[in-house]
Amino acid sequence: MLRVSGVNTFHGHIHVLRNISFRVKPGQLVAIIGANGAGKSTLLGTLASLYPPRDGLVAIEGEVVTKYRPDIMVKKGISLVPERRQVFDGLSVLDNFLLGAYHRYNKDRKTVNQEAQEVLELFPALKGKEEEYAGNLSGGLQQMVAIGRGLMAKPKVLLLDEPSVGLAPMVVKEIMGILKGLKERGTTIVLVEQNAKAALKVADRAYVMERGEMILEGTASELLKDPRVEHAYLGKGYHLAEEVS
Ligand code: ATP
C-alpha cells in the first residue's frame, strides 16, 4: 500500500530524516515511536508532501507520488491528521468534517453530506454535537473531529501525528480504541506517537525512530518485549507493573 524508500529530508541545512525506508500493507496499523525531536512529524510531513524529501521515494499502491503537491497527495490517498489536532475552532463539527472533503464537495454535495453522517457514526461521543463549535469541545472530542476530518478525504492511508498528546489516560484509551476500530474496518493507518505503550498496544507493526533514523522494527508484540524499547520508551519494570495491573 505505502512504500517509503531511502528518504532524506532537510529543514534548511538540517538533515532531519536519514535514509528512511518502511512499508505499510493494506489494512495495517503501523506505529512509529520515538522521543521528542526524533523526526516523526517531519516524516509524516514528508509523506504528505509538506516537506518534500531531497531524495528517496514515496509510493502508494505502486505509484510514485514523491513530487506531488500536498493537495494532490490528498487526492492520491494520503490524509494527515496533524499534531495538536488543529481543528477549525469557529466551525461546527460537521463543517470541520466537510472541509476534509473540500476537493469533492462542489462536485457532489449530497454524497459528501451523507458521508459526513457516516463518519459521525464512527464517533458516538460526537453524536448530538455536530452543530457545536469544534473549539468549544474537550481535547478528546477535538481529536475525534480531527480524525473524522481526515477520514472524509477517503484516504488510502491515514497519517496520525501524536493523537494522544495532552489527553488524559482514559481519553487516550478511547482514542486508541477508535483507531483499532478503524483498522478493523480496513483503514490503513500510520500512527506517530511518543506514547509508545499506547501505540504498541494497537499497532500491528512498529518502527522506532531516533535522530532521524529507523533504529528498530518488528511486530508490536516483539517491540513490547524488546529490552531496548522497554528501557528507553516504556519505563523500567514496565512488564512487572503490567502483570500486577
Ligand atoms: P515532536 O514530538 O516534538 O514533534 P518529532 O519526532 O515529531 O518531535 P520533528 O518535529 O520532526 O520531531 O523534528 C525533528 C527535528 O527537526 C528537530 O530537531 C526539530 O527542531 C527540527 N525541525 C522540525 N520542524 C522544523 C522546521 N519547520 N524548520 C526547522 N527545523 C525543524
Side-chain angles (χ1 to χ4, degrees), residues 33-100:
I33 60 174
N36 219 332
K40 306 181 301 299
S41 298
T42 302
L43 175 57
L44 292 193
T46 295
L47 300 181
S49 264
L50 301 174
Y51 309 126
R54 192 166 287 186
D55 50 46
L57 71 83
V58 177
I60 303 169
E61 290 180 334
E63 183 188 359
V64 176
V65 292
T66 328
K67 299 290 176 197
Y68 289 128
R69 291 193 320 248
D71 55 322
I72 307 290
M73 287 305 240
V74 176
K75 291 182 185 157
K76 292 286 173 189
I78 294 233
S79 177
L80 172 65
V81 181
E83 198 177 357
R84 287 180 294 276
R85 306 176 260 287
Q86 299 183 26
V87 294
F88 294 91
D89 288 353
L91 294 182
S92 70
V93 168
L94 214 49
D95 285 343
N96 268 275
F97 280 6
L98 295 177
L99 269 178

Side-chain angles (χ1 to χ4, degrees), residues 11-12 14 16-17 34-43 51 83-84 161-162 192 194 209:
H11 287 306
I14 309 167
V16 179
L17 299 185
N36 219 332
K40 306 181 301 299
S41 298
T42 302
L43 175 57
Y51 309 126
E83 198 177 357
R84 287 180 294 276
D161 197 350
E162 305 229 19
V192 149
Q194 269 189 59
M209 220 175 154

Side-chain angles (χ1 to χ4, degrees), residues 145-164:
V145 173
I147 296 171
R149 188 183 61 206
L151 289 171
M152 285 297 293
K154 288 188 164 279
K156 289 179 182 157
V157 184
L158 184 68
L159 311 176
L160 291 136
D161 197 350
E162 305 229 19
S164 80

